[in-house]
Amino acid sequence: MSAAPLRLGLAGLGTVGIGVVKIVQAHADLIAARAGRPVSITAVSARDRTRNRDADLSGYAWETDPVALATRQDVDVFVEVMGGHDGPAKASTEAALASGKHVVTANKALLAHHGHALAETAEAAGLALRFEAAVAGGIPVIKALTEGLAGNRLKRVMGVMNGTCNYILTRMQSAGLPYDQVFEEARQLGYLEADPNLDVGGIDAGHKLSLLSAVAFGTRIAFDAVELEGIGNVSIDDIRLAEDMGYRIKLLGVAQMTGRGLEQRMTPCLVPADSPLGQLQGGTNLVVLEGDSVGQIVLRGPGAGQGPTASAVMSDVIDIARGFRVPTFGVPASQLSAAQPAKSATPAPYYLRMTLLDKPGALAKIATCLGDAGVSIDQMRQYGHQGANAPVLIVTHKAAPDDVTHAMTRFAGTGVLVGDPVAIRIEEV
């Protein structure tokens, strides 16, 4: 075992940062044995030094400015768990790399916006830039892609990657509560980001999907090309009717390379209720990786929280202590090509919900619109009348997204529609 410890500078003493402190303090001997050398924290940084953080920080030097922390002589690895895609997180990470420090980060937003440039800087200097904790919390999905599945050509990456959204949707389903009520419940429980739209708008999960796409398909990060739709428009009616048809609604990320380019979408989808994704409850994440040789791999576990995310941080730290090096995104950043972005065109079944006027021929007009657009009906149910209106639910056979959109546009001209129709893709898993 090397006598020289690997010295960490920890920027950010929130939930994840304190989790890292606790692991380093509680498992010092175990970490040293596995890493081949001791791992210690020498200095930390956070805005408020007086806050009670439920951890003993007295043995560490303190820097108010994370850039100063990143350039200290007694720091070998800069651990960034502050968050934010610009400002102190970006400045301190760049300073760390310029000062010859390895970097471990849990910051998916930083990497989604600046990851390629940071990776080029790190690799040119022979430094590690690791980010296991940035995607799916404690699930080792980055290691799975860059190491375990390195011999595969990836076909598809898919998963539920935001625990808050999954909590809201499963809570709506299990308790029969409307979105607004469960959203407020999640806020009270502290599950939502300071800007809730990062969660419920699909942005946080979209950041993660863009990083997985880059690793899986050997492309530059293309977060701006991710089709994003949050869960704010998912109604309790859709939750109930989907369940009646044997489905559950999830905020699902899907990325796949097609002949037209790279499809990336993070949108509400229906999945079979008895599938691993359909059974996923609460804040748990699940990622599905499909390789040409291995087939389908399913990784499931806690997607956030102090222990799981800090565990992922420490896995990267221990790899650096061992001397293990792998390019940030699996292949050298200089070899990553910009993928042609492609709007989702892969055919899939669709769930359609609408309310029609209760008059002869109303349903026939809707069926005609679907048929004229090349969309065929697999299942159809008409529910109890609501006054002069008739709720109708249709599940289509596989159809191209543009064909479904075309049919939905034509519905408005039939004169039989009450309110706006709803269309949700059904993902086969």
Side-chain angles (χ1 to χ4, degrees):
M1 181 181 293
S2 169
L6 185 74
R7 301 166 299 177
L8 310 183
L10 178 61
L13 293 172
T15 300
V16 178
I18 293 301
V20 171
V21 170
K22 290 179 176 179
I23 290 176
V24 170
Q25 293 178 349
H27 301 312
D29 292 344
L30 179 65
I31 290 170
R34 289 176 174 171
R37 60 193 293 194
V39 174
S40 63
I41 298 171
T42 55
V44 298
S45 177
R47 285 176 292 186
D48 182 2
R49 189 167 184 171
T50 64
R51 178 180 162 194
N52 180 13
R53 292 182 167 87
D54 189 31
D56 181 8
L57 306 174
S58 60
Y60 310 140
W62 190 285
E63 297 283 358
T64 304
D65 181 3
V67 172
L69 174 69
T71 56
R72 285 178 64 102
Q73 294 282 327
D74 58 354
V75 167
D76 303 310
V77 179
F78 180 66
V79 180
E80 187 276 302
V81 290
M82 296 180 290
H85 72 272
D86 281 312
K90 180 173 181 285
S92 57
T93 299
E94 290 173 338
L97 294 173
S99 300
K101 320 292 188 188
H102 303 292
V103 172
V104 173
T105 181
N107 192 337
K108 79 283 292 183
L110 174 70
L111 294 173
H113 289 278
H114 308 293
H116 186 80
L118 292 172
E120 285 189 318
T121 300
E123 291 169 21
L127 299 169
L129 172 62
R130 305 295 298 266
F131 63 99
E132 186 66 72
V135 181
I139 302 174
V141 63
I142 303 300
K143 282 181 178 290
L145 285 170
T146 57
E147 299 174 40
L149 302 183
N152 285 254
R153 183 174 296 279
L154 272 293
K155 298 161 61 178
R156 183 168 69 157
V157 175
M158 175 171 57
V160 170
M161 303 174 200
N162 183 277
T164 299
C165 287
N166 199 54
Y167 168 81
I168 290 174
L169 292 173
T170 55
R171 176 73 173 148
M172 289 172 68
Q173 180 263 323
S174 63
L177 297 174
Y179 172 82
D180 289 345
Q181 186 172 337
V182 179
F183 175 91
E184 186 56 34
E185 182 180 288
R187 184 197 295 277
Q188 294 295 327
L189 290 169
Y191 291 171
L192 290 165
E193 296 274 2
D195 176 4
N197 194 50
L198 290 173
D199 285 318
V200 298
I203 298 170
D204 169 85
H207 287 151
K208 297 171 185 176
L209 182 67
S210 70
L211 298 178
L212 287 182
S213 295
V215 178
F217 304 113
T219 61
R220 294 193 178 202
I221 303 161
F223 169 65
D224 290 344
V226 178
E227 297 176 43
L228 285 179
E229 180 186 347
I231 64 171
N233 291 325
V234 176
S235 73
I236 188 62
D237 288 338
D238 291 320
I239 295 280
R240 289 168 176 159
L241 293 174
E243 187 171 26
D244 189 46
M245 301 289 282
Y247 296 101
R248 299 268 170 81
I249 300 179
K250 301 292 180 183
L251 180 67
L252 189 65
V254 180
Q256 55 192 355
M257 187 65 75
T258 71
R260 298 170 299 99
L262 178 61
E263 292 184 6
Q264 299 179 96
R265 59 181 181 273
M266 181 63 66
T267 60
C269 292
L270 269 66
V271 298
D274 58 357
S275 69
L277 282 168
Q279 293 293 306
L280 199 64
Q281 298 291 313
T284 307
N285 282 195
L286 187 147
V287 180
V288 179
L289 308 175
E290 296 179 357
D292 61 347
S293 297
V294 74
Q296 187 178 92
I297 299 292
V298 178
L299 303 173
R300 178 183 182 277
Q306 183 177 90
T309 310
S311 169
V313 168
M314 290 308 300
S315 73
D316 284 340
V317 168
I318 291 170
D319 270 352
I320 292 172
R322 290 167 171 163
F324 179 74
R325 299 290 181 269
V326 64
T328 305
F329 297 103
V331 298
S334 60
Q335 297 179 21
L336 296 175
S337 59
Q340 174 66 37
K343 190 174 184 297
S344 177
T346 305
Y350 277 81
Y351 158 102
L352 308 178
R353 177 177 62 81
M354 66 204 75
T355 301
L356 306 181
L357 293 173
D358 186 19
K359 63 181 185 180
L363 194 53
K365 290 183 178 181
I366 295 298
T368 297
C369 289
L370 289 169
D372 289 346
V375 179
S376 63
I377 297 173
D378 179 33
Q379 302 178 58
M380 182 170 59
R381 292 186 186 179
Q382 183 169 335
Y383 290 84
H385 288 54
Q386 299 174 354
N389 304 327
V392 173
L393 189 149
I394 294 171
V395 173
T396 75
H397 288 289
K398 283 187 178 181
D402 284 348
D403 291 342
V404 174
T405 299
H406 179 59
M408 298 278 284
T409 301
R410 294 192 61 185
F411 289 170
T414 62
V416 301
L417 204 62
V418 179
D420 295 327
V422 171
I424 305 178
R425 183 183 178 94
I426 300 174
E427 199 66 48
E428 297 179 328
V429 294

